[in-house]
């Protein structure tokens, strides 16, 4: 998946709606608590802080455990998954939710 596809898929999973690409600002959308105000979507594929917020969607032990195992598989190294990049976290996140596309 491209970074843009990753950002859109994670945004949808995090509750963003009315997603559209703006020529200057990139992916824009609305969140339920913004009363329809369109804002820029986080850059999940490159921002660890954004991925930290996205990980909060995994609000059950079962989902988080599945995510952690996917993250471990995604890093494919002997290093602990805590060293994963934002893109690796994004891929594991989408695989956990069944939204990753090859």
């Amino acid at each position: 998946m491209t970074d843009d596809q990753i950002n859109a898929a994670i945004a949808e999973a995090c509750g963003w709606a009315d997603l559209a690409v703006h020529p200057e600002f990139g992916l824009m959308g609305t969140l339920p608590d913004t009363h329809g105000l369109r804002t820029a979507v986080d850059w999940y594929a490159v921002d660890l802080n954004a991925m930290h917020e996205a990980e909060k969607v995994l609000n059950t032990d079962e989902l988080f455990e599945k995510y952690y195992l996917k993250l471990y598989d995604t890093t494919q190294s002997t290093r602990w998954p805590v060293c994963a990049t934002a893109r690796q976290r994004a891929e594991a996140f989408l695989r956990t939710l069944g939204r990753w596309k090859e």
Side-chain angles (χ1 to χ4, degrees), residues 10 14 42 44 47-58 93:
I10 294 176
C14 291
D42 292 326
Y44 298 104
D47 185 350
L48 283 171
N49 290 323
M51 279 311 303
H52 175 71
E53 290 301 312
E55 288 166 347
K56 293 177 183 177
V57 169
L58 307 173
F93 179 88

Side-chain angles (χ1 to χ4, degrees), residues 47-48 51 55 67-68 70-72 74-77 79-90 92:
D47 185 350
L48 283 171
M51 279 311 303
E55 288 166 347
Y67 168 71
Y68 191 80
K70 295 283 184 191
L71 186 58
Y72 191 79
T74 302
T75 58
Q76 295 183 356
S77 72
R79 302 183 83 178
W80 290 100
V82 295
C83 298
T85 65
R87 193 168 206 306
Q88 289 170 322
R89 290 172 185 274

